[in-house]
Amino acid sequence: MLAAWVWPVNARAETVLERAARTGVITMGGRTDLVPYSFVDGKGQLVGLSIDVAERIAAEASTYLNRPVRLAFTAAPDANTLFKQVHTGETDLACGVQFTWEREMFVDYSIPFSLSGIRLLTRSGGLDGTAASLQGKRIGVLAGSLGDATIKSYAPKAVRVPLTEIDAAVAALQAGRVEALAGDSILLAGAVAKTGAKGLAVVPGVGLQRYAVGCIIPENNSTFRNLMNLAIAKLLQGYINGNRDATESVNRWLGPSGILELPPQVIKDYFQMVLLTNEQIRVPADTTPEAKP
Protein backbone atom coordinates (compact mmCIF):
# COMPACT_ATOMS: atom_id res chain seq x y z
CA MET A 1 0.00 0.00 0.00
CA LEU A 2 2.78 2.40 0.89
CA ALA A 3 4.43 1.98 -2.48
CA ALA A 4 1.51 3.88 -3.96
CA TRP A 5 2.39 6.85 -1.74
CA VAL A 6 5.57 7.69 -3.64
CA TRP A 7 3.98 10.56 -5.55
CA PRO A 8 6.02 13.19 -7.32
CA VAL A 9 6.28 16.34 -5.21
CA ASN A 10 6.10 19.63 -7.05
CA ALA A 11 8.79 22.11 -6.20
CA ARG A 12 7.33 24.51 -3.64
CA ALA A 13 8.44 28.10 -3.95
CA GLU A 14 6.95 28.87 -0.56
CA THR A 15 6.83 27.17 2.80
CA VAL A 16 3.51 26.88 4.60
CA LEU A 17 4.34 29.92 6.75
CA GLU A 18 5.53 31.99 3.80
CA ARG A 19 2.27 31.30 2.02
CA ALA A 20 0.28 32.06 5.16
CA ALA A 21 2.16 35.35 5.53
CA ARG A 22 1.20 36.26 1.97
CA THR A 23 -2.42 35.00 1.91
CA GLY A 24 -3.49 34.88 5.56
CA VAL A 25 -4.69 31.30 4.99
CA ILE A 26 -3.62 27.83 6.15
CA THR A 27 -5.36 25.09 4.21
CA MET A 28 -6.65 22.14 6.23
CA GLY A 29 -7.92 18.82 4.91
CA GLY A 30 -9.84 16.05 6.59
CA ARG A 31 -12.96 13.93 6.87
CA THR A 32 -16.30 15.33 8.02
CA ASP A 33 -17.68 12.16 9.62
CA LEU A 34 -15.08 11.26 12.25
CA VAL A 35 -16.55 11.76 15.73
CA PRO A 36 -15.01 13.18 17.95
CA TYR A 37 -12.20 14.55 15.73
CA SER A 38 -13.94 16.27 12.80
CA PHE A 39 -17.62 16.00 11.97
CA VAL A 40 -20.67 18.03 11.03
CA ASP A 41 -22.95 18.60 14.03
CA GLY A 42 -26.73 18.98 14.17
CA LYS A 43 -26.40 22.66 13.30
CA GLY A 44 -24.44 21.92 10.14
CA GLN A 45 -21.19 23.19 11.67
CA LEU A 46 -17.84 21.43 11.30
CA VAL A 47 -16.67 20.69 14.84
CA GLY A 48 -14.43 18.33 16.78
CA LEU A 49 -11.18 18.06 18.69
CA SER A 50 -9.12 18.17 15.49
CA ILE A 51 -10.80 21.43 14.48
CA ASP A 52 -10.12 22.94 17.91
CA VAL A 53 -6.46 21.90 17.70
CA ALA A 54 -6.10 23.28 14.17
CA GLU A 55 -7.59 26.61 15.24
CA ARG A 56 -4.97 26.83 17.99
CA ILE A 57 -2.23 26.11 15.44
CA ALA A 58 -3.55 28.87 13.18
CA ALA A 59 -3.62 31.25 16.15
CA GLU A 60 0.01 30.39 16.98
CA ALA A 61 0.99 31.07 13.37
CA SER A 62 -0.92 34.36 13.46
CA THR A 63 1.03 35.48 16.52
CA TYR A 64 4.32 34.49 14.93
CA LEU A 65 3.55 36.27 11.66
CA ASN A 66 1.93 39.26 13.37
CA ARG A 67 -1.06 39.10 11.05
CA PRO A 68 -4.45 37.32 11.06
CA VAL A 69 -4.34 33.74 9.79
CA ARG A 70 -7.46 31.66 9.18
CA LEU A 71 -8.10 28.02 8.32
CA ALA A 72 -9.63 27.04 4.97
CA PHE A 73 -11.05 23.51 5.31
CA THR A 74 -11.48 21.10 2.39
CA ALA A 75 -13.09 17.68 2.88
CA ALA A 76 -11.02 14.67 1.79
CA PRO A 77 -12.85 11.51 0.70
CA ASP A 78 -10.42 9.08 2.33
CA ALA A 79 -7.15 8.81 4.24
CA ASN A 80 -5.00 8.01 1.20
CA THR A 81 -6.21 11.09 -0.65
CA LEU A 82 -5.58 13.25 2.40
CA PHE A 83 -2.02 11.95 2.82
CA LYS A 84 -1.30 12.56 -0.85
CA GLN A 85 -2.57 16.14 -0.60
CA VAL A 86 -0.41 16.87 2.45
CA HIS A 87 2.62 15.07 1.03
CA THR A 88 2.53 17.07 -2.21
CA GLY A 89 1.86 20.38 -0.44
CA GLU A 90 -1.63 20.79 -1.88
CA THR A 91 -2.89 20.84 1.74
CA ASP A 92 -0.96 22.48 4.58
CA LEU A 93 -2.40 20.69 7.60
CA ALA A 94 -4.48 17.71 8.70
CA CYS A 95 -5.29 16.75 12.31
CA GLY A 96 -6.67 13.66 14.01
CA VAL A 97 -4.31 11.48 11.99
CA GLN A 98 -3.06 8.07 13.11
CA PHE A 99 0.72 7.80 13.42
CA THR A 100 2.62 5.04 11.66
CA TRP A 101 6.34 4.90 10.95
CA GLU A 102 5.57 4.26 7.28
CA ARG A 103 3.50 7.43 7.01
CA GLU A 104 6.26 9.39 8.72
CA MET A 105 8.34 8.75 5.59
CA PHE A 106 6.03 11.02 3.57
CA VAL A 107 4.79 13.73 5.95
CA ASP A 108 5.90 15.32 9.22
CA TYR A 109 3.90 14.64 12.38
CA SER A 110 3.21 16.83 15.36
CA ILE A 111 3.42 15.68 18.95
CA PRO A 112 0.23 13.70 19.69
CA PHE A 113 -2.90 15.00 21.39
CA SER A 114 -4.68 11.63 21.57
CA LEU A 115 -3.94 7.91 21.92
CA SER A 116 -5.94 5.17 20.24
CA GLY A 117 -5.67 1.77 18.60
CA ILE A 118 -7.34 -0.77 16.36
CA ARG A 119 -10.14 -2.74 18.02
CA LEU A 120 -13.39 -4.40 17.00
CA LEU A 121 -16.95 -3.18 17.45
CA THR A 122 -19.34 -6.12 17.73
CA ARG A 123 -22.63 -7.05 19.31
CA SER A 124 -22.43 -7.51 23.10
CA GLY A 125 -21.63 -11.12 23.90
CA GLY A 126 -20.46 -11.74 20.34
CA LEU A 127 -16.88 -12.07 19.12
CA ASP A 128 -14.13 -11.77 21.73
CA GLY A 129 -11.60 -10.21 19.37
CA THR A 130 -9.14 -13.10 19.23
CA ALA A 131 -7.83 -14.17 15.84
CA ALA A 132 -9.54 -17.54 16.23
CA SER A 133 -12.92 -15.91 16.86
CA LEU A 134 -12.63 -13.96 13.58
CA GLN A 135 -11.90 -16.96 11.36
CA GLY A 136 -14.46 -17.08 8.56
CA LYS A 137 -16.41 -14.14 10.01
CA ARG A 138 -17.46 -11.09 7.99
CA ILE A 139 -15.51 -8.12 9.39
CA GLY A 140 -16.38 -4.65 8.15
CA VAL A 141 -13.42 -2.38 7.38
CA LEU A 142 -12.97 1.03 5.80
CA ALA A 143 -11.21 0.17 2.56
CA GLY A 144 -7.50 0.99 2.63
CA SER A 145 -7.57 1.95 6.31
CA LEU A 146 -5.20 0.95 9.10
CA GLY A 147 -8.00 -1.26 10.46
CA ASP A 148 -8.20 -3.05 7.11
CA ALA A 149 -4.44 -3.69 7.07
CA THR A 150 -4.46 -4.83 10.70
CA ILE A 151 -7.19 -7.43 10.19
CA LYS A 152 -5.50 -8.66 7.01
CA SER A 153 -2.35 -9.53 8.99
CA TYR A 154 -3.93 -10.39 12.37
CA ALA A 155 -6.73 -12.65 11.11
CA PRO A 156 -6.03 -13.57 7.47
CA LYS A 157 -8.88 -16.10 7.44
CA ALA A 158 -11.47 -13.46 8.31
CA VAL A 159 -13.64 -12.17 5.45
CA ARG A 160 -12.94 -8.44 5.15
CA VAL A 161 -15.96 -6.47 3.91
CA PRO A 162 -15.02 -3.03 2.51
CA LEU A 163 -17.29 -0.18 3.64
CA THR A 164 -17.13 3.50 2.71
CA GLU A 165 -18.11 5.41 5.86
CA ILE A 166 -18.25 4.71 9.55
CA ASP A 167 -21.94 5.52 10.17
CA ALA A 168 -22.96 3.16 7.35
CA ALA A 169 -20.60 0.56 8.83
CA VAL A 170 -22.39 0.73 12.21
CA ALA A 171 -25.71 0.34 10.39
CA ALA A 172 -24.34 -2.73 8.58
CA LEU A 173 -23.31 -4.22 11.93
CA GLN A 174 -26.72 -3.59 13.47
CA ALA A 175 -28.43 -5.13 10.43
CA GLY A 176 -26.27 -8.26 10.69
CA ARG A 177 -24.52 -7.78 7.35
CA VAL A 178 -21.17 -7.96 9.16
CA GLU A 179 -20.33 -9.53 12.50
CA ALA A 180 -17.88 -6.86 13.61
CA LEU A 181 -16.24 -3.63 12.54
CA ALA A 182 -12.47 -3.15 12.73
CA GLY A 183 -11.17 0.35 13.19
CA ASP A 184 -9.89 3.11 15.42
CA SER A 185 -11.36 2.50 18.88
CA ILE A 186 -12.03 6.20 19.52
CA LEU A 187 -13.78 6.63 16.17
CA LEU A 188 -15.82 3.47 16.77
CA ALA A 189 -16.92 4.79 20.16
CA GLY A 190 -17.68 8.16 18.60
CA ALA A 191 -19.82 6.56 15.89
CA VAL A 192 -21.80 4.62 18.48
CA ALA A 193 -22.40 7.81 20.46
CA LYS A 194 -23.42 9.71 17.33
CA THR A 195 -25.81 7.07 16.00
CA GLY A 196 -27.19 6.05 19.38
CA ALA A 197 -26.60 2.38 18.59
CA LYS A 198 -27.35 -0.01 21.46
CA GLY A 199 -26.14 -3.46 22.48
CA LEU A 200 -22.64 -3.07 21.08
CA ALA A 201 -19.23 -3.60 22.67
CA VAL A 202 -15.61 -2.86 21.73
CA VAL A 203 -13.19 -5.81 21.96
CA PRO A 204 -10.59 -6.95 22.90
CA GLY A 205 -9.58 -5.10 26.07
CA VAL A 206 -6.20 -4.18 24.58
CA GLY A 207 -5.97 -2.84 21.04
CA LEU A 208 -4.66 -5.06 18.26
CA GLN A 209 -2.42 -2.13 17.38
CA ARG A 210 -1.84 1.10 19.32
CA TYR A 211 -0.71 4.48 18.05
CA ALA A 212 -0.62 8.18 18.77
CA VAL A 213 -2.95 10.63 17.02
CA GLY A 214 -1.76 14.07 15.96
CA CYS A 215 -1.47 16.46 13.03
CA ILE A 216 0.53 16.21 9.81
CA ILE A 217 2.11 18.81 7.54
CA PRO A 218 4.25 18.68 4.39
CA GLU A 219 7.88 17.78 5.04
CA ASN A 220 10.58 20.43 5.38
CA ASN A 221 8.46 23.06 7.17
CA SER A 222 10.42 23.14 10.40
CA THR A 223 9.26 26.54 11.69
CA PHE A 224 5.60 25.70 11.10
CA ARG A 225 6.15 22.32 12.75
CA ASN A 226 7.59 24.06 15.82
CA LEU A 227 4.56 26.36 16.02
CA MET A 228 2.22 23.39 15.59
CA ASN A 229 3.91 21.51 18.42
CA LEU A 230 3.89 24.58 20.63
CA ALA A 231 0.14 25.06 20.12
CA ILE A 232 -0.57 21.43 21.01
CA ALA A 233 1.78 21.49 24.00
CA LYS A 234 0.03 24.58 25.37
CA LEU A 235 -3.32 22.80 25.11
CA LEU A 236 -2.02 19.72 26.91
CA GLN A 237 -0.29 21.71 29.64
CA GLY A 238 -3.33 23.94 30.06
CA TYR A 239 -5.49 20.87 30.65
CA ILE A 240 -3.06 19.51 33.22
CA ASN A 241 -3.04 22.90 34.98
CA GLY A 242 -6.83 23.06 34.99
CA ASN A 243 -7.10 26.12 32.75
CA ARG A 244 -10.73 26.68 31.83
CA ASP A 245 -10.24 27.14 28.09
CA ALA A 246 -8.09 24.03 27.66
CA THR A 247 -10.26 21.96 29.99
CA GLU A 248 -13.47 22.82 28.19
CA SER A 249 -11.88 22.30 24.77
CA VAL A 250 -10.73 18.76 25.61
CA ASN A 251 -13.57 17.64 27.89
CA ARG A 252 -16.32 18.48 25.41
CA TRP A 253 -14.94 15.73 23.18
CA LEU A 254 -13.05 13.32 25.43
CA GLY A 255 -13.96 14.07 29.04
CA PRO A 256 -16.67 12.86 31.44
CA SER A 257 -19.33 15.18 30.02
CA GLY A 258 -18.21 14.70 26.42
CA ILE A 259 -18.60 12.09 23.72
CA LEU A 260 -16.12 9.50 25.04
CA GLU A 261 -16.62 10.12 28.79
CA LEU A 262 -13.00 9.44 29.74
CA PRO A 263 -11.96 10.17 33.35
CA PRO A 264 -9.99 13.46 33.54
CA GLN A 265 -7.09 11.77 35.33
CA VAL A 266 -6.65 9.33 32.43
CA ILE A 267 -6.44 12.28 30.03
CA LYS A 268 -4.04 14.17 32.32
CA ASP A 269 -1.75 11.16 32.69
CA TYR A 270 -1.47 10.76 28.93
CA PHE A 271 -0.91 14.47 28.33
CA GLN A 272 1.80 14.49 31.01
CA MET A 273 3.52 11.55 29.37
CA VAL A 274 3.53 13.38 26.02
CA LEU A 275 4.96 16.55 27.56
CA LEU A 276 7.66 14.65 29.45
CA THR A 277 9.09 13.54 26.11
CA ASN A 278 9.60 17.21 25.20
CA GLU A 279 9.47 20.21 27.51
CA GLN A 280 6.96 21.42 30.06
CA ILE A 281 5.09 24.53 28.91
CA ARG A 282 4.75 27.34 31.43
CA VAL A 283 1.04 28.08 31.28
CA PRO A 284 -0.34 30.03 34.25
CA ALA A 285 -2.77 27.96 36.31
CA ASP A 286 -6.44 28.96 36.18
CA THR A 287 -7.72 29.03 39.77
CA THR A 288 -11.42 29.47 39.04
CA PRO A 289 -13.48 26.58 40.48
CA GLU A 290 -15.26 25.99 37.16
CA ALA A 291 -11.95 25.16 35.51
CA LYS A 292 -11.33 22.06 37.59
CA PRO A 293 -12.30 18.88 35.64
Side-chain angles (χ1 to χ4, degrees), residues 245-262:
D245 179 58
T247 297
E248 291 179 350
S249 182
V250 173
N251 277 352
R252 67 185 297 210
W253 311 117
L254 305 181
S257 59
I259 292 173
L260 295 190
E261 301 181 348
L262 295 175

Side-chain angles (χ1 to χ4, degrees), residues 207-222:
L208 307 179
Q209 184 170 346
R210 300 183 73 192
Y211 44 76
V213 177
C215 300
I216 57 173
I217 62 173
E219 292 186 305
N220 304 317
N221 280 270
S222 60

Side-chain angles (χ1 to χ4, degrees), residues 173-237:
L173 173 62
Q174 290 185 294
R177 294 193 295 273
V178 295
E179 293 169 88
L181 302 176
D184 182 289
S185 58
I186 287 182
L187 297 181
L188 291 175
V192 170
K194 178 183 177 182
T195 60
K198 304 296 182 182
L200 302 178
V202 178
V203 297
V206 177
L208 307 179
Q209 184 170 346
R210 300 183 73 192
Y211 44 76
V213 177
C215 300
I216 57 173
I217 62 173
E219 292 186 305
N220 304 317
N221 280 270
S222 60
T223 303
F224 183 50
R225 188 180 189 182
N226 290 342
L227 294 172
M228 174 175 63
N229 285 339
L230 182 60
I232 295 173
K234 286 180 176 178
L235 173 63
L236 272 53
Q237 189 69 59

Side-chain angles (χ1 to χ4, degrees), residues 28 92 124 132 156 202 211 215 231 256 287:
M28 179 184 183
D92 298 328
S124 297
V202 178
Y211 44 76
C215 300
T287 59

Side-chain angles (χ1 to χ4, degrees), residues 2 5-7 87 102-108 217 219:
L2 290 171
W5 290 6
V6 187
W7 305 287
H87 171 64
E102 292 85 357
R103 291 171 174 174
E104 174 72 8
M105 296 292 293
F106 300 93
V107 296
D108 281 340
I217 62 173
E219 292 186 305

